[in-house]
Amino acid sequence: MAAPRALAAGAPAPGKAALTHPGKAILAGDCVRQTVRDHGVLGLYRGLSSLLYGSIPKAAVRFGTFEFLSNHMRDAQGRLDSTRGLLCGLGAGVAEAVVVVCPMETIKVKFIHDQTSPSPRYRGFFHGVREIVREQGLKGTYQGLTATVLKQGSNQAIRFFVMTALRNWYRGDNPNKPMNPLITGVFGAVAGAASVFGNTPLDVIKTRMQGLEAHKYRSTWDCGLQILRKEGPKAFYKGTIPRLGRVCLDVAIVFVIYDEVVKLLNRVWKTD
């Protein structure tokens, strides 16, 4: 299975650019050209299955938790203000971090480090998971839990805060005003951009805490201090530009699909 290698082949995430091939694929455009040149267009989709393993349950937990919380926090008119949207997003982010994101991200980062080492050990996704659990126990899949909770919690808090604020502004005094998918996509892209600038430093720390050299850090706080001391403030924003393009598109698509699925379900049974 080619999943692990694909994780290193795509655009570098925060703190991961230097983990792939030093001196190569530093910029997103260069990374795409090298990937297509070496592996063809299909090379851009290597590891899709491993991405789905994490994305599907992550989205389910995120939106399920958000809907559960928001249904208990709406006012008598069924409106959810931006502050309550932020709190619901925070709860959704913490839930997805604990249930899905932390183990999946820990495994992914370990795969990236392993596949770019001189002698890779993991033959595929499931083999890698078995080896990690066998050698380190389940704890080995939960490295950097604090950083992940902080990152995902702030991530979804920012996104749902911005999305809720923009939706309320667009709908005005009519909370039932329909949302055009194009408008939803634009609002989602704005929310994604806000989350990138708001929590990239936490993502960098999370990545370091989940890597093969995580033993160098005593805690999340110590990791942040070491990065600041040894690499300077700019290190907290490594990979911001490639992440910005990916996240804006990702969040826009996810919110559009989610809204359209809710509309479809509302035709069958009431979900509001």
Side-chain angles (χ1 to χ4, degrees), residues 91-109:
V94 171
E96 72 174 4
V98 175
V99 178
V100 181
V101 178
C102 188
M104 290 302 299
E105 286 290 301
T106 302
I107 292 168
K108 183 182 76 172
V109 173

Side-chain angles (χ1 to χ4, degrees), residues 123-269:
R123 297 192 298 271
F125 180 81
F126 292 108
H127 174 259
V129 172
R130 285 198 303 271
E131 288 299 300
I132 292 170
V133 173
R134 183 177 64 81
E135 295 173 2
Q136 305 173 31
L138 288 177
K139 183 179 178 182
T141 65
Y142 270 90
Q143 291 180 337
L145 178 60
T146 300
T148 304
V149 168
L150 290 173
K151 184 255 181 178
Q152 291 302 126
S154 63
N155 211 20
Q156 301 311 323
I158 293 171
R159 290 178 186 176
F160 280 104
F161 170 79
V162 173
M163 199 67 188
T164 303
L166 291 174
R167 277 175 171 164
N168 289 342
W169 166 78
Y170 178 78
R171 286 172 169 161
D173 296 328
N174 180 10
N176 296 317
K177 181 179 179 180
M179 293 280 296
N180 183 288
L182 180 60
I183 299 297
T184 301
V186 172
F187 288 174
V190 173
S195 68
V196 169
F197 289 112
N199 81 344
T200 290
L202 288 172
D203 201 27
V204 171
I205 293 173
K206 175 190 70 68
T207 298
R208 301 291 182 90
M209 290 293 293
Q210 293 172 332
L212 296 181
E213 297 185 349
H215 62 275
K216 296 193 303 183
Y217 310 115
R218 297 191 300 273
S219 64
T220 300
W221 181 252
D222 178 62
C223 178
L225 286 178
Q226 285 198 42
I227 294 173
L228 179 63
R229 204 164 42 235
K230 297 177 182 179
E231 304 173 48
K234 289 184 178 180
F236 289 110
Y237 282 90
K238 287 182 177 178
T240 298
I241 300 303
R243 187 186 179 215
L244 187 64
R246 178 184 64 80
V247 170
C248 287
L249 188 59
D250 176 17
V251 177
I253 292 173
V254 168
F255 272 113
V256 169
I257 292 175
Y258 177 70
D259 274 13
E260 294 307 303
V261 168
V262 170
K263 290 177 185 176
L264 178 62
L265 292 177
N266 272 330
R267 296 172 187 168
V268 181
W269 69 83

